[in-house]
Amino acid sequence: MSDETTAMPHQQPGMPSARGAEDSLAPLGQHDPVVMGPYRLVGRLGAGGMGVVFAGVDSAGRRAAVKVIHAELAHDDEFRVRFRREIDLLRRVRARCMVQVLGADAEAEQPWLATEYVPGPTLAQRVEQNGPLSEQEIVGLAGGLGEALRAMHTVGVVHRDLKPSNVILSPTGPRLIDMGIARAMDETSVTRTGVLVGSPGWISPEEYRGSDVGPAADVYGWALLVLFAATGRPPFGTGRPEVLAMRVLADTPDVEAVPEPLKDLARRSLAKQPSERPSAEDVLNALVQGWRESAVGQTAGDVTLVEEVTRYLDRTWVMPLTNNSNWIVPAPPSRSGARRWGMVAGGLGVVGAVAAAAALFINGGAGEPQAPAAVRTDRTAVPAPTSSSAPQTKASSATPSPTKEATSSPKPSSLGKKVTMIRGHSFVLPSDWLYFPDNTNNTEGMCLRPKRMKDADYLFCSQFGMSIHPWLSTGSGASEDDDLSWLEDADGLNYTYSGEGPCISGHTSRKGEIVKGGLNKIGNLRAHYRKARSYCDDGSTRETETLVLPITGLTIVIDKLPAEERAQAEDILRSFKFAKKQTR
């Protein structure tokens, strides 16, 4: 891999294709290892800024999701600290409804972590395909998540990233995944004070306010997931992260769609003040008490809360697998290296299991950032790895190629002046362009435009030119999550701050679309790239290009420009020099 991305082609990171396992299990790349610890690796489940999650099979044919850190990151002491910490947190928690660790080696040349393989769709996929869950399913989901959170909080761990793509609806019950940005309550945070972690729209009010985040934030997240399962919609809608932050702080979601047994509990769990919310223990006790009261003819006896959850799910949970697939496992190569025979490692549904595994990296395996401009945190730029990073490799690559637009751009011009940003990044600004700080959203951000437009009134930073925003390390809404699904929302990318959507003078006539996607060069790095088009009811269209470097923590937005000025914008991108060391 030689870029800062990637999920499998045409997939949202953390949200593998719901069309079937065949689309989600990608072949090994040219420089991918074929063996890691006791596991033979048979394909890719997903990838992100921290590394790759592989489908692995041990000598007994048992399947696992094997998370492998990029070789170049293995030499970074701070990354190793984060990885050891994640392993420790995962091993500390024992819950029926949480994914379990099978093995790990944080000291290996390429550190790795193997977790159990969980079949089933994510909650996000299930809702997208079939709409809201039934009342019985919602109650089972609430109980399973309550059990997982209670187990975490009992041993002093806070998850901090509850969202639909981090919940797998397995055949035996809901399973909470991705401990990548979890934190022990008694430890100093690895991130700096004020840095937000989580996914926009799923972050608690206290974290947006910059307060300490504890177990109550997970209870708030629990209520949001219950509400999402009941309505089939994100509780605070969709939009740019800063818009979602404002809604979280100002609005209280309506819980009328939540089943009656959960309604009051969900309402109290959504309180803006953490002290007013019930604990995970209270949540689970209330759920179990309701189950006991409704179980006519049954007595509770001397049964623990965990046993009650198990009983309820065994009695009521029905979540059939809709996709079945086999992993074709290459036999170990012979000494002559001549022929390989394939064997089948069992047929389990893998749509959500792929998501469960991929989320370990893609949803922030060690606190990877997520939100765009003005709602982000900075990261250290990672140089492109070389082919020597893996000891054993397999031919073929699943790395997305740059778009045609990305590869046809001219080399940066030497004409212009060097501009150095607060973070130490620099670029060459053409002599006929100007720049000024974005005093509206993020003063570290810069608004760039041709000088011919210097007197033009503007509604947003990138209008008539482009904007460059480092992800914020403090303040309103910086995120440390690597779920970049917002890049698939064309109308969200085109949001203008002038009203409720992307159209400056009105509303959209239909849903927007991503017309180009892939990778685009920024300096010596490759960024996620999307070109979005929105359709306005006055017959006009609006187009912008968005580029994101999730490790470095940078978002660039380019307005629709004449060809000559678009070429100058590309010059600016190519001229980027990144700071060698950034402060986290």
Side-chain angles (χ1 to χ4, degrees), residues 38 110 138 146 195 255 318 342 372 382 424 444 572:
Q110 272 192 272
I138 294 169
V195 176
V255 298
V318 179
V382 179
E444 289 192 33
I572 294 172

Side-chain angles (χ1 to χ4, degrees), residues 176-327:
L176 183 60
I177 64 171
D178 188 10
M179 294 286 287
I181 62 174
R183 182 169 69 88
M185 288 182 268
D186 59 354
E187 74 176 3
T188 301
S189 175
V190 177
T191 57
R192 290 182 292 173
T193 302
V195 176
L196 293 188
V197 297
S199 305
W202 301 93
I203 298 174
S204 64
E206 59 267 30
E207 189 160 11
Y208 277 125
R209 291 192 293 262
S211 305
D212 289 337
V213 175
D218 284 348
V219 173
Y220 185 85
W222 170 87
L224 293 182
L225 287 174
V226 170
L227 186 55
F228 175 79
T231 63
R233 302 184 303 274
F236 295 100
T238 60
R240 285 186 179 270
E242 58 268 32
V243 175
L244 295 176
M246 181 180 64
R247 292 173 185 166
V248 169
L249 291 170
D251 301 339
T252 299
D254 186 351
V255 298
E256 283 306 308
V258 175
E260 196 60 45
L262 299 173
K263 191 171 294 183
D264 181 64
L265 197 57
R267 184 180 292 109
R268 290 190 291 122
S269 298
L270 289 171
K272 298 298 183 186
Q273 297 302 320
S275 60
E276 298 176 6
R277 299 173 202 147
S279 66
E281 180 89 15
D282 295 336
V283 167
L284 195 56
N285 269 313
L287 288 169
V288 168
Q289 183 60 35
W291 296 343
R292 288 172 175 170
E293 292 174 356
S294 63
V296 180
Q298 297 186 29
T299 57
D302 188 18
V303 179
T304 67
L305 291 176
V306 176
E307 289 171 335
E308 285 282 11
V309 172
T310 301
R311 279 184 176 185
Y312 185 85
L313 292 175
D314 287 347
R315 187 172 70 249
T316 66
W317 187 264
V318 179
M319 192 64 60
L321 294 173
T322 57
N323 295 83
N324 289 281
S325 178
N326 297 321
W327 289 2

Side-chain angles (χ1 to χ4, degrees), residues 200-201 208 236-247 371-375 441 460 462 467 469 486 489-497 542 544-546 555 557:
Y208 277 125
F236 295 100
T238 60
R240 285 186 179 270
E242 58 268 32
V243 175
L244 295 176
M246 181 180 64
R247 292 173 185 166
V375 192
N441 295 290
F460 44 93
S462 62
S467 62
H469 283 92
W486 55 271
D489 178 6
D491 292 331
L493 294 179
N494 282 331
Y495 191 86
T496 63
Y497 300 95
R542 171 165 164 73
T544 59
E545 298 170 78
T546 301
T555 296
V557 178

Side-chain angles (χ1 to χ4, degrees), residues 9-11 16-24 129 323 351:
H10 310 299
Q11 295 177 19
S17 169
R19 290 175 294 173
E22 295 78 10
D23 293 337
S24 298
Q129 294 168 357
N323 295 83
V351 174

Side-chain angles (χ1 to χ4, degrees), residues 11 14-18 20-21 24-25 44-46 53-56 63-66 99 115-123 125 165-171 175 177-178 321-325 327 347-363:
Q11 295 177 19
M15 294 289 291
S17 169
S24 298
L25 184 61
R44 285 181 168 221
L45 297 173
V53 181
F54 296 98
R63 306 203 288 180
V66 184
V99 67
T115 61
E116 62 181 319
Y117 180 86
V118 182
T122 65
L123 175 60
Q125 291 169 331
S165 58
N166 277 349
V167 178
I168 300 299
L169 305 183
S170 81
R175 302 290 287 277
I177 64 171
D178 188 10
L321 294 173
T322 57
N323 295 83
N324 289 281
S325 178
W327 289 2
L348 290 176
V350 301
V351 174
V354 170
L360 285 169
F361 264 127
I362 297 168
N363 292 341

